[in-house]
Amino acid sequence: MENGCRSIWKVPMVSETKVTIKNLYKIFGKDPAGMINHVQNGTTKQELLEKYGSVLALNDVNIDIPARGIQVIMGLSGSGKSTLIRHVNRLIEPTSGEIIVGGQNVLGMSKLELREFRRHTASMVFQRFALLPHHTIVENVSYGLTIQNVPKQEAAERSQQWIDKVGLAGYEKHYPNQLSGGMQQRVGLARALATDAEILLMDEAFSALDPLIRTDMQDVLLSLQEELHKTILFITHDLDEALRIGENIAILRDGLVVQKGTPQEIVLNPADKYVTDFIKDINRGRVVQVSSIMDSKKLKNGPEIESNMILEDALQIISNAELSEAIVTENGKNIGSVKLGRMISAIARPSEKTGQITNYR
Amino acid sequence: MSWFEKIPTMDRQELRDFKKYVDISFKDFSRTYGDGIETFFDPLLYFLVWFEKLLINAPWPLIIFVIAIMAWVGSRSWLVVSGTVCSFIVIGYFGMWEDTMSTLAIISICTLLCISIGIPIGIFMSRSDRLQSMVNPVLDVMQTIPSFVYLIPVVMLLGIGKVPGLIAVFIYALPPIVRLTNLGIRLVDKEVLEASESFGASYSQKLFGVQIPLALPNIFAGVNQTIMMALAMVVIASMIGVKGLGVPVLRAVSNQYLALGMLNGLAIVALAIIFDRISQSFGKRMQKHLESSHGV
């Protein structure tokens, strides 16, 4: 069994930033601009609500989203994550801050520029699908193109290819209500992809689906991503989902980013108690890679394990070989070894903060 | 303590002067502007007369045929179509054909007017809470004020005739379509609207591509209500000179002609049922996409 979902990590990471969110504040209520001073002087969300009746939705959010990668924003309900994603295409206006997409300041755009931006640069997938109930599937998928005044015939042809890609061929003439939730979200995904926008904003896109369908949709997304390399901003409240699809994760709490990092960084080095509580119950074997627990001792023989393999798969190899040690390789080169006992203790739920990351990018 | 036992009232003389003042100033107003307003409504009058003549002079089988087709297009039900045809034949058989055509003419034109004026008002209302809070009380007044009360100024201004009748019917029948258009657009799923916005839809693309289509069932309920209200006003309109089924009803009331009143009353009922069924099933068919749930 190849470590399927991890394989996208093998795509060489380009560290070019596509979307920059800088010092973003959002306050709902009266006189939001005036409230910023209070927040900057250390007033907490709770105090702001009690004293001034204003809701602090986003508090000095700074995130750099790399191009062609999947950035996950994770947080519980009320943490401001859905508010945050709506700032990227300005469905919500910020109280202060900057959002720069491909060198262009979204907040400085005129109405028309913003419309063009939404049409061609960033498209969105919604939690409850938000399909047009009075349009057929093919009309829904081509909606973005219709908005751009692409001729009907051409729009239908371009949409068809996306309908096929998400596995909905044969349902073109159906109405959204005739499809199950999972299928409706495939339509939502195809609709967002059909405009060929570079940026995909996914607002809890799979949260309304039941667990099996959700995993299914994650697979669909990951396999599409292998081919398309979009810049994806993915919002979720589900840590397993975040770890599974995110290359980078930012954890949001009460509008504040509490930790940013790769799934592995977050699992191995939770920034605070909030994150620790979050990761308590997750399957660490599926996140931690061999490279983070290997040592530099070179072995002569033994089974070979790729350094970026996750522990779950590595354990399979080492136990099949009935040995307690394995060679760690990177690009075919022997770079060290890993012990079975070390792997097991890395998977075990930590009693306190675990660290000891050696070979770590 | 006399103020406690008896509610303070205006001095009789003052009250009389006040009423006189209002009456006289309105009379002055109608004397000055009455003609102008009448000419303003002339095109409407010509159209109404033309349409009424068209309906009355056209061969009756043609009229029944056209109405049957409308019934079929609206309802797609043979039951409704045959019921419609039978009703019209019976109406003709009892000698009420001409009056029915007159009523049909005024109802159709009134409904068209209400649609073309009421839907835009409803759309604007849905756009602004301020406008909604201003228009709503006006609609309340239009619906609740006894029709005779606004017939007085209308008749003073325009005299007796078709146009004042049409205006009276219009005032009474307009509110439902305005209200339901406003409501329908406000009830459109916010998420769908947001999705449309996120794809860069312009204002008109949102309005005509999402809001109005999704509000159509409600708008159609409004059209249906408007037609019903207009029919309900037929008798009152006949008091100020509108020809149609209301005239014999009025005569029957003042002369105690039971059969005449019943027959014409039932003809109005028949028209109401026919229009109701046609417009309702048309509205229902428009939301067919909502009926079939998934799992097929």
Side-chain angles (χ1 to χ4, degrees), chain B:
Chain B
M1 286 294 280
S2 69
W3 62 268
F4 191 76
E5 284 147 22
K6 195 171 173 296
I7 192 158
T9 27
M10 206 173 175
D11 181 58
R12 279 191 175 192
Q13 186 60 41
E14 272 177 43
L15 189 62
R16 202 177 304 133
D17 288 347
F18 168 72
K19 288 177 187 164
K20 219 184 232 166
Y21 172 73
V22 172
D23 286 354
I24 288 174
S25 20
F26 190 76
K27 255 178 211 153
D28 283 346
F29 172 79
S30 69
R31 229 171 263 142
T32 335
Y33 298 103
D35 287 342
I37 295 174
E38 239 181 293
T39 18
F40 173 77
F41 283 114
D42 269 351
L44 189 66
L45 179 65
Y46 291 138
F47 182 60
L48 188 58
V49 171
W50 172 80
F51 190 59
E52 194 180 332
K53 275 199 180 133
L54 181 79
L55 286 185
I56 292 174
N57 294 335
W60 65 268
L62 183 69
I63 297 278
I64 289 187
F65 181 69
V66 170
I67 288 173
I69 285 180
M70 276 166 59
W72 172 249
V73 169
S75 68
R76 295 283 155 90
S77 146
W78 285 116
L79 196 70
V80 173
V81 174
S82 53
T84 306
V85 171
C86 286
S87 317
F88 272 91
I89 288 175
V90 171
I91 284 171
Y93 189 70
F94 280 100
M96 299 180 289
W97 183 262
E98 217 164 283
D99 283 341
T100 306
M101 288 305 115
S102 299
T103 298
L104 211 56
I106 193 166
I107 297 301
S108 318
I109 285 171
C110 182
T111 307
L112 282 179
L113 262 182
C114 285
I115 289 174
S116 54
I117 293 173
I119 291 180
I121 295 180
I123 291 170
F124 286 124
M125 254 172 101
S126 71
R127 296 276 302 158
S128 138
D129 286 336
R130 201 132 159 246
L131 189 65
Q132 177 179 247
S133 59
M134 275 164 21
V135 174
N136 257 335
V138 177
L139 296 181
D140 290 337
V141 170
M142 285 164 79
Q143 276 186 306
T144 48
I145 196 167
S147 358
F148 296 108
V149 174
Y150 58 79
L151 282 183
I152 302 168
V154 170
V155 170
M156 279 168 80
L157 262 181
L158 300 168
I160 300 261
K162 282 190 193 336
V163 171
L166 186 68
I167 290 174
V169 178
F170 172 79
I171 291 176
Y172 190 63
L174 183 70
I177 190 152
V178 176
R179 279 191 213 278
L180 282 158
T181 303
N182 172 36
L183 180 75
I185 291 180
R186 280 173 187 269
L187 285 182
V188 168
D189 190 350
K190 294 276 173 302
E191 286 199 349
V192 176
L193 210 56
E194 195 179 39
S196 158
E197 182 135 32
S198 82
F199 282 96
S202 64
Y203 171 66
S204 62
Q205 282 171 330
K206 268 187 290 184
L207 182 65
F208 295 110
V210 181
Q211 289 176 303
I212 290 183
L214 292 184
L216 267 188
N218 271 318
I219 295 178
F220 246 78
V223 173
N224 175 285
Q225 285 304 302
T226 290
I227 298 173
M228 296 299 111
M229 308 271 272
L231 272 168
M233 279 292 283
V234 163
V235 177
I236 290 174
S238 70
M239 294 177 71
I240 50 169
V242 176
K243 280 198 279 178
L245 290 167
V247 178
V249 171
L250 210 61
R251 204 162 36 165
V253 170
S254 44
N255 295 313
Q256 299 185 350
Y257 296 151
L258 176 65
L260 182 72
M262 286 292 263
L263 280 177
N264 285 279
L266 286 176
I268 294 176
V269 171
L271 281 186
I273 293 176
I274 289 167
F275 280 126
D276 180 67
R277 292 300 177 275
I278 294 176
S279 61
Q280 257 191 28
S281 44
F282 188 62
K284 243 185 226 157
R285 266 198 311 123
M286 256 192 282
Q287 33 181 337
K288 219 168 99 196
H289 59 269
L290 297 175
E291 277 169 22
S292 41
S293 59
H294 79 79
V296 197

Side-chain angles (χ1 to χ4, degrees), chain A residues 147-294:
Chain A
I147 293 290
Q148 296 169 22
N149 298 320
V150 173
K152 217 175 170 192
Q153 183 66 27
E154 188 194 334
E157 278 164 20
R158 279 168 68 183
S159 307
Q160 188 60 46
Q161 118 195 33
W162 294 107
I163 291 175
D164 295 342
K165 271 212 170 101
V166 298
L168 282 178
Y171 289 97
E172 290 85 353
K173 295 276 176 287
H174 283 62
Y175 284 99
N177 273 19
Q178 297 170 301
L179 304 187
S180 67
M183 286 160 101
Q184 287 190 42
Q185 196 55 305
R186 282 168 195 255
V187 180
L189 190 57
R191 176 175 68 174
L193 291 171
T195 62
D196 290 322
E198 298 160 72
I199 300 171
L200 200 55
L201 305 170
M202 305 187 71
D203 179 27
E204 300 222 35
F206 305 148
S207 299
L209 308 173
D210 54 58
L212 271 179
I213 308 283
R214 194 184 306 166
T215 324
D216 214 36
M217 287 302 288
Q218 290 163 0
D219 289 338
V220 170
L221 179 67
L222 288 170
S223 69
L224 281 170
Q225 173 66 352
E226 267 189 77
E227 186 184 332
L228 303 171
H229 304 303
K230 301 256 181 198
T231 303
I232 300 178
L233 185 56
F234 194 100
I235 302 287
T236 182
H237 62 249
D238 176 357
L239 185 65
D240 282 319
E241 184 167 72
L243 295 172
R244 179 142 193 257
I245 65 174
E247 290 160 37
N248 287 289
I249 299 176
I251 296 180
L252 211 58
R253 182 197 185 187
D254 289 347
L256 208 64
V257 176
V258 283
Q259 189 171 12
K260 286 182 279 195
T262 62
Q264 194 173 218
E265 277 175 296
I266 283 166
V267 170
L268 293 175
N269 283 319
D272 62 6
K273 195 166 172 312
Y274 181 72
V275 183
T276 314
D277 283 347
F278 249 132
I279 60 164
K280 209 165 54 188
D281 295 321
I282 59 114
N283 181 352
R284 303 159 67 84
R286 240 182 241 163
V287 178
V288 181
Q289 296 173 16
V290 174
S291 60
S292 62
I293 54 159
M294 61 178 265

